[in-house]
Amino acid sequence: MEDSRPIAVFDSGVGGLSVLVRLRELMPEEDFIYLGDRKNAPYGSKTHEEVRRIAEKNVDMLVLHGAKAVVIACNTATAAAVEPMRKKYPQIPIIGIEPAVKPAVDAGCGRILVLATPRTVSEPRFTALMERRAGNSSVIGVPCEGLSQMVESGECEGKETDEYFERLFTPFRSDGFDAVVLGCTHYPFVRSAIRRAVGEKVAIFDGAEGTARHTKSCLEYAGLRASAGRQGKVIFLATDGEEGVRTISDFYRKRCDYHE
Ligand code: DGL
């Protein structure tokens, strides 16, 4: 059975595009609806309850749009809302993203910094993930105040970005670290600046590829895949109106062919 209904993907803005690009690479035959919830951004400085409520509104809207599955392409919204959303929609696969701590631990990294929004770092789900996955590694959550807003406003390169990371990494330099995990979907867009700040020897991990692979297997398991050979398309929606839709698709065109 083939199912050509769209897969919905949402984030507080452009961050989830770093996941969408991997989803499309893996499943070019699928249609996608991408929602950039710019009106409610940033999620990372909101309370648990606020993020949960916002995420629920988005999922409700995307289900109404006929989504066959929803990918929460946001670590903050996943941490605060994926469980209640799965309870509310047991018949729809709801896939979340988690910081790629396991790949970093499996690669033998001993001291791992997980960069994430302040909200994510204070979520019990995040703390539990770090404890569950750490093994013998030391895993440290690093709240990155204001970073998703910098990316959202297109500030991905330049003096201010470099200074931001210099300040962020300074307290960790004396003990050193082997890996940086990008625990927010906005951060892959500043990967080059992070690479400059940490140097070549530190490994950088993000969860987008793992999330895309997991989404594909969930759809296969549920018999929800579109037929092979189709040419999938993307519809962009934004909660701040026409302007936002244009901004998001421009950003997609400019940024989403990045690879490391
Ligand atoms: N991109 C989101 C994440 O992965 C959050 C950005 C924000 O709105 O603060 O956590």
Side-chain angles (χ1 to χ4, degrees):
M1 259 274 289
E2 62 100 10
D3 190 327
S4 57
R5 287 177 301 156
I7 301 166
V9 180
F10 84 89
D11 177 46
S12 60
V14 297
L17 296 174
S18 61
V19 180
L20 179 67
V21 72
R22 301 292 178 230
L23 288 163
R24 294 204 74 205
E25 272 166 17
L26 210 58
M27 298 180 282
E29 60 288 331
E30 297 287 351
D31 285 352
F32 292 90
I33 302 176
Y34 184 88
L35 172 68
D37 185 13
R38 296 163 56 99
K39 198 175 81 182
N40 292 307
Y43 290 176
S45 45
K46 293 194 161 49
T47 64
H48 171 91
E49 205 30 57
E50 281 170 329
V51 177
R52 199 202 54 74
R53 225 175 317 110
I54 290 166
E56 179 167 6
K57 228 170 130 190
N58 290 341
V59 175
D60 289 349
M61 193 269 264
L62 293 164
V63 169
L64 271 177
H65 261 80
K68 63 181 172 186
V70 178
V71 179
I72 306 181
C74 172
N75 293 262
T76 313
T78 299
V82 71
E83 290 309 334
M85 289 307 93
R86 285 179 182 150
K87 282 204 183 92
K88 182 165 181 181
Y89 292 105
Q91 74 288 12
I92 294 178
I94 312 265
I95 295 106
I97 184 164
E98 273 174 359
V101 175
K102 186 173 186 298
V105 171
D106 290 351
C109 302
R111 201 158 184 263
I112 302 165
L113 303 185
V114 184
L115 312 192
T117 67
R119 175 76 265 133
T120 300
V121 174
S122 2
E123 283 293 320
R125 193 183 160 89
F126 176 80
T127 322
L129 169 88
M130 307 239 289
E131 279 167 12
R132 208 169 55 243
R133 303 281 196 222
N136 293 326
S137 304
S138 142
V139 185
I140 304 156
V142 182
C144 299
E145 186 72 60
L147 184 54
S148 69
Q149 292 98 302
M150 278 166 68
V151 173
E152 196 64 34
S153 64
E155 226 178 276
C156 299
E157 284 291 338
K159 197 164 161 275
E160 260 182 57
T161 320
D162 287 344
E163 283 170 2
Y164 182 97
F165 288 116
E166 216 26 71
R167 273 197 309 278
L168 191 78
F169 291 119
T170 296
F172 304 102
R173 292 213 193 272
S174 54
D175 291 333
F177 48 94
D178 315 298
V180 169
V181 172
L182 308 181
C184 166
T185 54
H186 279 71
Y187 303 168
F189 295 110
V190 280
R191 189 189 288 258
S192 313
I194 295 175
R195 170 60 70 214
R196 265 197 305 283
V198 300
E200 288 303 321
K201 288 198 184 117
V202 171
I204 301 178
F205 295 88
D206 83 74
E209 215 173 296
T211 304
R213 277 200 307 271
H214 181 58
T215 304
K216 188 177 177 198
S217 32
C218 287
L219 291 173
E220 271 160 8
Y221 183 76
L224 292 174
R225 293 279 278 122
S227 58
R230 268 181 100 247
Q231 178 71 50
K233 57 184 186 306
V234 186
I235 294 172
F236 290 99
L237 305 173
T239 48
D240 62 352
E242 203 40 45
E243 176 79 12
V245 175
R246 241 196 326 271
T247 314
I248 283 178
S249 34
D250 281 355
F251 199 94
Y252 182 76
R253 268 199 302 279
K254 279 196 212 120
R255 294 260 167 205
C256 284
D257 51 357
Y258 78 96
H259 286 279
E260 177 163 271

